[in-house]
Amino acid sequence: MDKLARYAETLDGAALGAHATPQLTSSDPNLSVADAYQVQKLSVDRRLARGERRIGVKMGLTSRAKMLQVGVNEVAWGRLTDAMLIEEGAAMSRARFVHPRVEPEVAFLMKAPLCGRVTAAQALAAVEAIAPAMEIIDSRYENFKFALSDVIADNTSSSGLVIGPWNDPTKDFSNLGVIVEINGQVIEVGSTAAILGHPLRSLVAAARLVAEGGEGISAGDIVMAGGITAAPTLAPGQTVRTTIQGLGSVMFRVEA
Ligand code: 0L1
Ligand code: MG
C-alpha cells in the first residue's frame, strides 16, 4: 500500500472507531496540500465503497473566527456523505465521535451544476434554496490540533450536518444575524457576513476548488458554506439550536 493510501486508511479507521490519531505532519512535515486532498479522496472512497452516498461538499475555514480558533488561515473543502446527515430535531450519539464541536452555517441546495471559475451571479442562479444549518466537526487528530495538510486529509473535520427549513435564495442573505443556543443559553452570536463577507463567495470558491480537485458540484448537491462563529464543544444532554434572522431555526440533541 502506498503512503497516501495508508494515511487514508488510518484516518478512516480513526473516524470509524471514534479514536484520535497523531497528526500526519508530525511524522511527515512536508505533506503537501495536493497530497492531502488525495488522502481525503482515498479516505472518502473507502466510505463510498462501504455503501455511503456522496451528497455534496463543505467549505471550511471561511470565517475569521474559525481561522483564529484553529490557527489555519486558508479555506479548504471536504466531501459530504449521506451517513453524516442528522435529522433536524433528532439526537446524535456523542459516542460516535472523538471530540465533536458544532458550527452554525448556511447550506445551499443546488438546482444546476457549478464548476470552475464562476461569478457570484452565476453561482446564485444555480441555487435552488438556502437553509440555516449546523455542521458537526470532529477532528480525528489528537487534541483537535492540525496543520492545513492534516485537516484537508481529514476531510476538513467534517462528520455531521443538520439542515433546517429551505428558503427562497433570492432574499438578501449577505448579513443576517445568527444565534447559537445550547440548552436555551446564547453561546455564540454572529452574522452570515462572517463567511468571506457574503456566503455566496464561499459557493464561488467551492466551485473553483472542487473543480481543481477534478470534481464538480451537481444539481441536488448540498454545499455547506462554512462556520460563522467559533465552534462550541458538544456534550451529552445538550440541546443545540441555531437561528438565522429571516431563515428560521435548526436544532438537534446530543445523547451519550
Ligand atoms: O475546526 C476545524 O476542524 C477546521 C476544519 C473545518 C472547519 C469548518 O468547517 O469551517
Ligand atoms: Mg464547517
Side-chain angles (χ1 to χ4, degrees):
M1 189 186 279
D2 86 351
K3 180 180 84 173
L4 302 186
R6 199 159 31 81
Y7 292 167
E9 185 182 49
T10 300
L11 288 166
D12 184 46
L16 266 179
H19 63 259
T21 188
Q23 290 76 12
L24 299 178
T25 56
S26 61
S27 56
D28 188 356
N30 296 322
L31 180 68
S32 69
V33 164
D35 279 354
Y37 273 117
Q38 186 57 21
V39 174
Q40 182 193 123
K41 181 179 179 337
L42 292 170
S43 114
V44 175
D45 282 350
R46 296 174 68 93
R47 297 176 189 218
L48 301 182
R50 288 196 294 271
E52 293 182 31
R53 185 171 52 85
R54 179 192 179 283
I55 58 166
V57 300
K58 66 155 280 182
M59 290 296 284
L61 302 167
T62 50
S63 72
R64 180 124 188 89
K66 281 300 313 177
M67 288 179 178
L68 283 175
Q69 185 177 31
V70 298
V72 173
N73 59 4
E74 280 181 58
V75 300
W77 70 282
R79 294 157 165 95
L80 301 173
T81 75
D82 60 343
M84 298 177 185
L85 275 172
I86 296 164
E87 209 175 298
E88 203 283 325
M92 60 157 260
S93 162
R94 166 70 183 81
R96 284 185 40 233
F97 301 86
V98 186
H99 31 212
R101 297 177 179 178
V102 63
E103 295 181 330
E105 302 218 7
V106 172
F108 295 102
L109 176 64
M110 306 306 295
K111 65 179 176 192
L114 203 61
C115 192
R117 289 188 179 272
V118 297
T119 64
Q122 287 168 325
L124 184 60
V127 173
E128 173 75 25
I130 56 170
M134 288 184 274
E135 184 184 21
I136 317 301
I137 50 167
D138 188 30
S139 175
R140 267 56 66 158
Y141 298 115
E142 291 163 350
N143 305 315
F144 223 114
K145 288 266 178 280
F146 40 72
L148 180 64
S149 292
D150 292 312
V151 69
I152 287 171
D154 186 27
N155 201 20
T156 54
S157 305
S158 200
S159 57
L161 67 154
V162 194
I163 308 283
W166 290 111
N167 287 253
D168 180 349
T170 60
K171 61 171 73 166
D172 180 2
F173 55 96
S174 60
N175 184 15
L176 301 176
V178 178
I179 293 175
V180 182
E181 291 163 277
I182 298 187
N183 294 341
Q185 234 193 327
V186 176
I187 299 294
E188 295 284 346
V189 292
S191 160
T192 55
I195 307 170
L196 298 176
H198 191 313
L200 212 43
R201 290 196 183 131
S202 180
L203 185 57
V204 168
R208 176 175 51 78
L209 290 174
V210 174
E212 283 170 12
E215 296 187 15
I217 296 170
S218 308
D221 275 1
I222 290 169
V223 178
M224 297 289 279
I228 291 165
T229 66
T233 299
L234 293 174
Q238 292 173 332
T239 295
V240 187
R241 177 184 298 277
T242 287
T243 304
I244 302 188
Q245 178 191 1
L247 299 187
S249 289
V250 53
M251 63 84 67
F252 67 95
R253 289 177 293 107
V254 187
E255 285 180 353

